[in-house]
Amino acid sequence: EDLPVELPPAKEVDFQPKGKSPLAAHEKWVAGGRCPKCGRPARRETDTIAQWLCSCWYYLRFASPVYDAANHPERNTQAFRKDDLAKWMPVDQYIGGVEHAVLHLLYSRFIFKVLRDAGETGDLWPEPFKALFTQGMICKLSEKTGKVEKMSKSLGNVVAPDELIAQYGADTQRLYTLFIGPPQKDAEWNDSAVAGMNRFLKRVWAQIDEHLAATQGAAPYQGDGADLSEAAKALWRKTHQTIRKVTSDIEQSWQFNTAIAAIMELSNLLSDVAAKLTGDAQDTAVVRFALESMVRLLGPLVPHVAEELWEKMGHTGGIIAAGWPSYSEAACAEDVIELAVQVNGKVRSRITVAAGTAQAEIERLALADEPVLKAIGGATVRKVIVIPGRLVNIVAK
């Protein structure tokens, strides 16, 4: 009968973070209660629920964000509508740290199931989330304990993002956080490694500047590679392979660190082959294709830098409107491939063969290789196993 307890006007409350509820500093409200037993003045408790409790159900509210009281007065008493939930729910992806399994995730499912059993959400799905991704913790050396531990204010090992942003920019911090390691595993923060990400972004910027005049107005190469020089073809193929790799790493395995590493490899190759390019129209088109692809791939990782570079290259309309780059499986295929040759499980040599070489010919080349013959010695070859595109394993006894 005492509910609801009305909160003070927001303008009277100081919401600056101080480690406790903002209501605790509003003395008039705190002292405004009455003891339910004796009726005498009593102080109100300000910490009655976990601070994350609202996020355990607000995904339902997000499905019905717009309330039009004039045309839909019934919405004034509803947190969400079943029709909206039927359209938007369930949530496609839940992401949380390992500790969420017994805290936020548990309570989110509990609250949802209570609402579902009460008939408030409909019967379309039994769970609020389709998929779970458990991220690892970012750890750092704690001066208090002398050990590498999860970042915590109490341990004094929290990195203030404002300082890094002031020194390097937000995109450098963002890129390093994504590059630090596989997202599902714990990772150790390294202040000096942040500078490495900044150097990489500066190198990409410098590459755009280096080739800007020559490629200005050129259309990205769209051919099949048959008319390209050896250096240009290598860059063209690597660009397609990078797009395929980054697309797969982000969309399927969530390995942002390896996606970034692939873009770095493309940048390195561009630097390596730049001096070998002739500067003709085809080479210029390939360089333009590589540069544009690199910037578009960086778009979701370093949005500010990518947007600036996209505009610098003469584009209008924004990099998001440009969409994600596409690749060709045929273009990704190598003309020649290198195969490791093992003898009884130990790598003894490597051979280079044309892509598509028949298995029998690969076996012949491997068995004729001088280091392999030396490793086999007087033993008898019992079996030759060819794993396409990777290795040849010779079993000899």
Side-chain angles (χ1 to χ4, degrees):
E1 65 271 18
D2 294 328
L3 296 177
V5 176
E6 293 189 10
L7 298 177
K11 62 182 180 181
E12 296 181 5
V13 180
D14 180 7
F15 288 97
Q16 291 298 316
K18 298 177 181 178
K20 58 183 180 180
S21 170
L23 289 172
H26 196 287
E27 183 59 28
K28 181 180 178 181
W29 185 86
V30 171
R34 290 279 176 179
C35 175
K37 292 185 178 180
C38 68
R40 288 186 294 179
R43 298 183 66 79
R44 286 173 168 148
E45 174 59 66
T46 59
D47 292 311
T48 58
I49 58 175
Q51 78 275 13
W52 38 261
L53 189 65
C54 285
S55 63
C56 291
W57 73 271
Y58 64 24
Y59 49 87
L60 298 171
R61 170 65 176 183
F62 290 161
S64 301
V66 180
Y67 274 51
D68 184 348
N71 297 320
H72 300 280
E74 79 281 359
R75 294 190 180 187
N76 292 326
T77 59
Q78 289 180 263
F80 45 80
R81 297 175 65 237
K82 289 183 183 179
D83 289 348
D84 293 334
L85 299 188
K87 178 180 179 180
W88 291 105
M89 290 291 290
V91 176
D92 292 299
Q93 183 71 54
Y94 179 106
I95 304 174
V98 292
E99 78 282 3
H100 281 57
V102 292
L103 290 174
H104 188 275
L105 176 62
L106 177 67
Y107 278 80
S108 295
R109 296 180 64 234
F110 175 77
I111 290 173
F112 171 78
K113 287 179 179 290
V114 169
L115 291 170
R116 185 175 185 271
D117 291 348
E120 295 295 327
T121 65
D123 298 318
L124 296 178
W125 17 266
E127 293 284 348
F129 314 117
K130 282 185 180 180
L132 166 68
F133 184 87
T134 302
Q135 66 191 37
M137 299 290 186
I138 302 295
C139 305
K140 194 174 188 293
L141 180 66
S142 168
E143 295 181 1
K144 291 186 178 181
T145 66
K147 297 185 295 184
V148 175
E149 303 195 52
K150 181 183 77 170
M151 283 190 181
S152 169
K153 291 180 181 178
S154 62
L155 295 175
N157 62 343
V158 173
V159 175
D162 290 349
E163 297 177 11
L164 291 174
I165 292 172
Q167 184 174 3
Y168 297 114
D171 278 353
T172 292
Q173 180 195 341
R174 180 184 176 96
L175 194 65
Y176 175 67
T177 304
L178 294 171
F179 187 69
I180 196 171
Q184 69 271 30
K185 295 184 179 180
D186 290 352
E188 183 179 353
W189 185 273
N190 185 331
D191 289 328
S192 60
V194 180
M197 293 296 101
N198 189 252
R199 288 193 296 272
F200 166 63
L201 290 179
K202 287 181 176 179
R203 184 176 70 189
V204 172
W205 194 288
Q207 287 177 318
I208 301 293
D209 279 340
E210 178 185 354
H211 299 283
L212 188 60
T215 62
Q216 199 73 37
Y221 181 79
Q222 295 182 332
D224 62 3
D227 54 348
L228 297 178
S229 64
E230 183 178 347
K233 192 171 186 179
L235 180 60
W236 166 76
R237 178 177 293 112
K238 184 67 172 179
T239 303
H240 279 278
Q241 292 173 340
T242 303
I243 296 171
R244 180 177 65 178
K245 170 71 172 169
V246 175
T247 302
S248 174
D249 285 353
I250 291 179
E251 290 187 350
Q252 316 230 342
S253 60
W254 291 39
Q255 302 299 308
F256 301 101
N257 56 319
T258 55
I260 295 168
I263 301 172
M264 289 178 171
E265 290 180 8
L266 176 59
S267 173
N268 289 339
L269 182 63
L270 175 59
S271 296
D272 291 342
V273 305
K276 303 175 185 177
L277 298 175
T278 63
D280 63 15
Q282 298 297 78
D283 284 7
T284 300
V286 170
V287 172
R288 184 73 182 191
F289 172 56
L291 291 173
E292 287 197 3
S293 299
M294 193 156 50
V295 173
R296 290 166 74 182
L297 293 174
L298 285 170
L301 307 173
V302 286
H304 307 89
V305 168
E307 191 69 56
E308 294 257 357
L309 289 175
W310 193 245
E311 182 178 333
K312 188 182 185 72
M313 297 177 76
H315 294 289
T316 58
I319 194 170
I320 293 178
W324 192 249
S326 59
Y327 64 90
S328 162
E329 284 290 353
C332 292
E334 296 281 357
D335 290 336
V336 295
I337 54 176
E338 184 181 73
L339 302 175
V341 182
Q342 298 178 341
V343 177
N344 295 330
K346 187 173 183 180
V347 176
R348 296 295 186 176
S349 185
R350 295 181 183 275
I351 60 173
T352 300
V353 300
T357 300
Q359 181 171 322
E361 178 63 11
I362 292 176
E363 291 182 14
R364 187 190 69 77
L365 292 171
L367 291 171
D369 186 73
E370 187 173 340
V372 172
L373 289 171
K374 184 177 180 181
I376 294 174
T380 300
V381 175
R382 303 292 185 181
K383 186 185 296 185
V384 179
I385 303 169
V386 177
I387 300 178
R390 292 183 55 194
L391 60 85
V392 180
N393 186 27
I394 300 170
V395 180
K397 293 183 181 180

